[in-house]
Amino acid sequence: MLVAKAEGIVKIYKGNGLPVHALRGLDLEIQEGDFTAIAGPSGSGKTTLLNLIGTLDTATEGKIFIDNQDISKLLPYELADIRLRKLGFIFQFHNLIPVLTCQENAEFVLLLQGCPAKERKERVDNVLHDLGLLELKHRFPRELSGGQQQRVAIARAIVSYPKLVLADEPTANLDSKTGQALISLMLDLNQKYKTTFLFSTHDPIVMEAAKKLILLRDGKIVSTLNSVK
Amino acid sequence: MLFTGMAWKNLWRNKRRTSLSILLISFCLTALIFLLCMVHGFQEEIIKSSINTYTGYFQINRKGFFDNESLAAFIEKPDAIIQEISSIPHIKAVTTRILSLGLVGGGNNSSGCLIVGIHPDREAQVTTFRNGVIKGRFLEPAEQNAIIIGVDMAQRLDLPLQGEATLLLLSSTGTIEAVNLQVVGIFDSGNPAFNRNMVMVSQSLLSQLVGYGNTKVSQIVVAIDHNRHLEETAQAISEKLRKFQAFYTDIDSSTKIPIDMIQEFGDVYVKMEKGIEFEKKLELLSWKEILPALVDVVQLQNIVLKIILTAVFLAAFIIVLNVTIMGVMERKREFGILKAMGMRSSQLAKLIFMESLMMTGAAFVIGTTLGTGISLLISYFPIAISSDLPLFKLGLIEPLIKPFVTIKSLLQPAIAVCLIAILAPLWPIWEISKLTPTETIRSV
Ligand SMILES: Nc1ncnc2c1ncn2[C@@H]1O[C@H](COP(=O)(O)OP(=O)(O)O)[C@@H](O)[C@H]1O
Ligand SMILES: [Mg+2]
């Protein structure tokens, strides 16, 4: 089943200086259960692409479908609802709300969704357990290591059972061992919950873990590889 | 609910900044409330004292009497009116007075004066004039040969207590009446004009002298329980007076007064014209109409208060605005994350709003409690201040700082604080809503 689709995406940043062509005509399909990595050098457009699919930004040209819905004409609050119900995000760093504990961070999305208290607690506990965070659940983000923080970010992204989790270089701020552990954790979740992941990286070891690899250069897909392993 | 807890936690991220802001606003509020209570207390006192010494809350006169205190402007059969209005709920006491211009002489001196004929016992229920007697005593009911005079007049005429004063006046029929009276009391009313020019005799005596024959008076004076019932009582009295208006249409009110007689009075209160004719109507005046200067003073004070209120409001507004802007701008990335998590801009606005509301709310509770507490405390234990100020020399009020805590004194600062809580977050909310989620996430 198709989870997300991008058709002829062009993104031009018109800042103060010259316009920057971040993406130059790009097509992409994400199927349910995919575990896809977007790889490419810095400045190749990985973040831009993830932001567009994540409805955080709008494309200059082309169409994006989330769960078969064209998002280009939606209002900001409708986009917010799509993010709330269908998407999960993991950013490179500073993912967590500093005033909330691990548990509260993970719970927050479910609160926004209006999930009943009992179910909320169950789901948060399950996910924290799966990610080995149960002992840390009352800690605040500042009391956690970088790897632990990213694990909480993953917990928060998947706790609402989103259609698609978007992760922008989730391991970039971690040492390679922790980064690897994080990716294999994501892979476990992908298998266990059938969570669809789309993540960017420029770390070859992380790329290897992907089931599908999209290589990006200068805002264009240069090649797509299936099942690297 | 979801946002309340988070807003509260956000508020205490920067403990020092938040607590300092709360303290500052609380202090503004405390000072403001105290100031308002103090000035309102002062106003209440000065109004009460002016009303209580002589004016009363209401005076019922013939139309025009207020401008021209002539004997021609009498009220016929006042008892019927008194009986009618006595049943009005907030009316505490009613009395009548006869007012006449005249001359008072003692020894070789004489002076123009306003002669007020009172019912001593009923007068004491309506006004506190009796308390102003500093030597001798107040008048007894129906006393025929006694007079009380003001301190300044006693001095000017060299009239001691128990001395003999001669009262001279022009009756309503045009005859000149004279009578010798004993000074039984000397008063200091607090009002210099009264002390200089007013004398009081019993109403039965004055009625005889002016030829009113115990069926006419100059005015009816009404006391009510509290000034806040002024408007509704005025309404009720006017209603009752309506049926008496017809009564006056048949009376011939013209009177002839020789001009040269008037001029002798010197610094009399009102100037009379020859043969003036009064409208055949009763008129109800409240103290606000009788003492317009007092109303002006109160209004002027209120304007000054408004200016201070506005200044303090602006200062507090800038404090809250500054704190809110700082608090929001340094959390841009966090708001981006929240947006990515699916929080709507309106929910974000709600969160920021809540934070401002909590901060001002805390300040509101502290400031109002302190302000009210201090004001209440000082109202029970007033602070004495120098009585040399001209204001206090009038003797209308005691030289005390004595706040008066009313809803009115608390309402304006409360509204100001609510306005701050609502207005201050608008700007930062606007700034944040202009940014797209990516822009906010990008900023670290
Ligand atoms: N907000 C922006 N304004 C202008 N140019 C931008 C903006 N964001 C990204 N770019 C440019 O777009 C290109 C792609 O950036 P990005 O998507 O961040 O690449 P990557 O994530 O692969 O490093 C880069 O040249 C970058 O400088
Ligand atoms: Mg990037």
Side-chain angles (χ1 to χ4, degrees):
Chain A
M1 210 179 95
L2 202 59
V3 171
K5 189 166 107 179
E7 270 179 14
I9 295 301
V10 172
K11 176 69 184 178
I12 303 169
Y13 288 111
K14 295 186 187 91
N16 302 329
L18 290 170
V20 179
H21 292 254
L23 297 173
R24 313 159 182 257
L26 182 147
D27 302 295
L28 181 72
E29 283 189 358
I30 308 290
Q31 299 288 341
E32 190 173 49
D34 272 3
F35 194 73
T36 306
I38 303 169
S42 180
S44 56
K46 304 183 292 294
T47 300
T48 305
L49 179 60
L50 286 172
N51 283 346
L52 289 178
I53 295 173
T55 78
L56 295 173
D57 207 350
T58 44
T60 315
E61 267 175 50
K63 277 187 175 163
I64 287 167
F65 297 85
I66 303 290
D67 205 16
N68 295 317
Q69 187 177 14
D70 183 357
I71 61 158
S72 51
K73 290 194 180 63
L74 296 183
L75 296 168
Y77 81 90
E78 291 170 319
L79 293 176
D81 281 355
I82 288 198
R83 292 195 290 271
L84 179 64
R85 315 241 163 232
K86 300 189 171 170
L87 301 174
F89 288 87
I90 303 160
F91 299 99
Q92 199 172 320
F93 50 80
H94 290 326
N95 267 295
L96 305 175
I97 306 304
V99 290
L100 302 181
T101 62
C102 279
Q103 185 192 345
E104 290 166 341
N105 259 287
E107 201 180 359
F108 194 75
V109 188
L110 297 179
L111 277 166
L112 279 179
Q113 285 186 344
C115 179
K118 193 163 162 257
E119 190 187 338
R120 216 162 58 213
K121 194 178 156 5
E122 254 173 45
R123 275 162 74 169
V124 170
D125 273 358
N126 280 342
V127 170
L128 288 179
H129 174 262
D130 286 345
L131 288 161
L133 291 166
L134 225 41
E135 281 89 75
L136 306 177
K137 71 180 195 178
H138 295 304
R139 290 211 192 162
F140 285 96
R142 69 185 127 77
E143 299 165 334
L144 301 174
S145 71
Q148 288 167 337
Q149 284 186 24
Q150 286 307 73
R151 260 151 61 200
V152 179
I154 293 174
R156 190 184 63 192
I158 65 163
V159 75
S160 58
Y161 306 149
K163 291 271 174 199
L164 173 64
V165 174
L166 299 159
D168 192 9
E169 306 207 31
T171 62
N173 272 34
L174 306 176
D175 60 75
S176 64
K177 213 176 121 200
T178 319
Q180 252 175 300
L182 197 79
I183 288 296
S184 55
L185 207 54
M186 281 164 63
L187 197 55
D188 288 347
L189 293 167
N190 169 252
Q191 264 139 25
K192 185 172 174 188
Y193 292 101
K194 300 277 166 295
T195 316
T196 313
F197 280 92
L198 177 63
F199 58 97
S200 69
T201 184
H202 58 254
D203 180 350
I205 303 170
V206 173
M207 288 174 213
E208 277 174 24
K211 291 179 183 170
K212 188 174 166 189
L213 183 65
I214 294 167
L215 283 173
L216 213 59
R217 181 162 300 143
D218 294 333
K220 276 191 200 144
I221 295 176
V222 287
S223 65
T224 307
L225 305 168
N226 280 310
S227 264
V228 187
K229 275 180 191 164
Chain B
M1 231 2 258
L2 168 57
F3 302 117
T4 329
M6 197 157 156
W8 181 250
K9 286 172 188 165
N10 282 333
L11 205 57
W12 295 105
R13 287 174 133 176
N14 197 327
K15 290 194 185 66
R16 189 167 1 143
R17 186 166 71 195
T18 303
S19 38
L20 255 167
S21 316
I22 290 179
L23 271 179
L24 259 166
I25 304 164
S26 310
F27 176 76
C28 289
L29 202 57
T30 306
L32 218 54
I33 288 176
F34 181 68
L35 179 74
L36 285 175
C37 287
M38 207 176 83
V39 176
H40 288 155
F42 165 80
Q43 292 175 347
E44 188 82 2
E45 275 301 293
I46 198 167
I47 288 169
K48 229 166 64 189
S49 126
S50 313
I51 294 168
N52 288 350
T53 14
Y54 181 76
T55 310
Y57 284 87
F58 293 106
Q59 293 181 358
I60 301 168
N61 304 312
R62 278 290 280 289
K63 194 159 166 50
F65 177 81
F66 184 59
D67 299 317
N68 187 350
E69 294 173 344
S70 160
L71 285 174
F74 54 81
I75 299 174
E76 186 78 48
K77 301 220 171 70
D79 292 340
I81 299 176
I82 291 174
Q83 184 160 21
E84 193 69 28
I85 63 172
S86 294
S87 61
I88 293 170
H90 297 292
I91 290 183
K92 218 175 62 182
V94 184
T95 190
T96 58
R97 289 181 192 146
I98 296 173
L99 269 59
S100 169
L101 296 173
L103 280 171
V104 62
N108 300 322
N109 294 325
S110 70
S111 161
C113 66
L114 176 71
I115 311 161
V116 183
I118 57 163
H119 286 295
D121 44 353
R122 271 155 67 188
E123 183 69 35
Q125 290 168 358
V126 175
T127 67
T128 56
F129 201 92
R130 153 179 237 137
N131 303 341
V133 176
I134 50 168
K135 267 190 220 161
R137 58 170 176 84
F138 198 52
L139 295 165
E140 300 281 333
E143 212 168 357
Q144 288 303 303
N145 50 8
I147 187 170
I148 61 172
I149 61 175
V151 275
D152 294 340
M153 181 179 277
Q155 201 167 27
R156 195 151 40 114
L157 298 184
D158 214 2
L159 256 177
L161 199 62
Q162 310 302 338
E164 197 180 63
T166 308
L167 200 59
L168 194 73
L169 61 80
L170 192 68
S171 78
S172 58
T173 51
T175 58
I176 291 175
E177 304 290 331
V179 63
N180 285 338
L181 302 169
Q182 191 182 35
V183 178
V184 297
I186 294 173
F187 61 79
D188 178 358
S189 66
N191 183 327
F194 290 170
N195 289 352
R196 208 166 45 234
N197 286 322
M198 194 202 271
V199 301
M200 278 186 177
V201 296
S202 75
Q203 196 168 108
S204 57
L205 170 65
L206 192 58
S207 186
Q208 274 172 35
L209 291 175
V210 301
Y212 271 2
N214 282 324
T215 60
K216 298 171 186 172
V217 296
S218 305
Q219 60 179 196
I220 299 170
V221 187
V222 180
I224 61 173
D225 51 5
H226 196 279
N227 193 38
R228 65 172 171 267
H229 300 125
L230 196 73
E231 317 299 330
E232 58 177 295
T233 313
Q235 202 79 37
I237 298 175
S238 299
E239 202 74 26
K240 300 273 188 192
L241 284 185
R242 204 162 296 156
K243 73 191 239 193
F244 293 99
Q245 302 288 15
F247 196 76
Y248 289 87
T249 52
D250 305 331
I251 300 175
D252 173 23
S253 305
S254 62
T255 184
K256 312 273 179 293
I257 295 176
I259 274 292
D260 45 337
M261 174 71 194
I262 303 306
Q263 282 162 347
E264 265 188 49
F265 286 174
D267 52 351
V268 286
Y269 293 86
V270 282
K271 137 175 135 280
M272 277 196 195
E273 280 163 45
K274 197 174 170 186
I276 187 163
E277 195 157 335
F278 284 87
E279 274 191 66
K280 293 163 180 174
K281 249 193 206 167
L282 290 177
E283 182 178 46
L284 177 72
L285 296 174
S286 76
W287 67 265
K288 289 187 179 178
E289 292 151 305
I290 302 165
L291 303 167
L294 197 60
V295 177
D296 286 349
V297 168
V298 168
Q299 266 168 2
L300 188 71
Q301 282 177 347
N302 287 344
I303 290 171
V304 174
L305 280 184
K306 283 215 171 66
I307 293 170
I308 297 175
L309 190 75
T310 312
V312 176
F313 168 80
L314 281 178
F317 177 72
I318 289 167
I319 296 171
V320 180
L321 184 67
N322 183 38
V323 170
T324 326
I325 288 181
M326 276 202 286
V328 167
M329 290 310 159
E330 70 192 10
R331 279 186 289 157
K332 258 197 210 171
R333 180 178 163 94
E334 195 178 311
F335 289 141
I337 300 277
L338 286 171
K339 275 190 175 178
M341 282 164 70
M343 206 155 148
R344 295 179 183 185
S345 296
S346 59
Q347 292 174 315
L348 220 53
K350 201 168 141 191
L351 180 70
I352 298 171
F353 226 69
M354 209 91 103
E355 292 176 21
S356 147
L357 218 62
M358 282 177 175
M359 187 165 86
T360 33
F364 178 74
V365 172
I366 298 172
T368 309
T369 311
L370 275 180
T372 315
I374 293 173
S375 302
L376 274 178
L377 191 76
I378 299 180
S379 74
Y380 285 117
F381 306 101
I383 299 171
I385 49 174
S386 162
S387 59
D388 288 344
L389 295 169
L391 181 75
F392 298 119
K393 283 207 167 137
L394 281 181
L396 285 178
I397 51 170
E398 289 174 286
L400 290 175
I401 291 186
K402 194 176 170 199
F404 187 66
V405 182
T406 52
I407 300 291
K408 186 173 113 191
S409 313
L410 302 179
L411 206 62
Q412 282 175 326
I415 291 172
V417 168
C418 290
L419 272 180
I420 289 172
I422 293 166
L423 292 180
L426 290 183
W427 185 4
I429 285 173
W430 167 246
E431 286 287 324
I432 278 292
S433 68
K434 275 195 308 197
L435 299 172
T436 65
T438 34
E439 279 172 316
T440 39
I441 288 168
R442 213 180 294 277
S443 57
V444 179

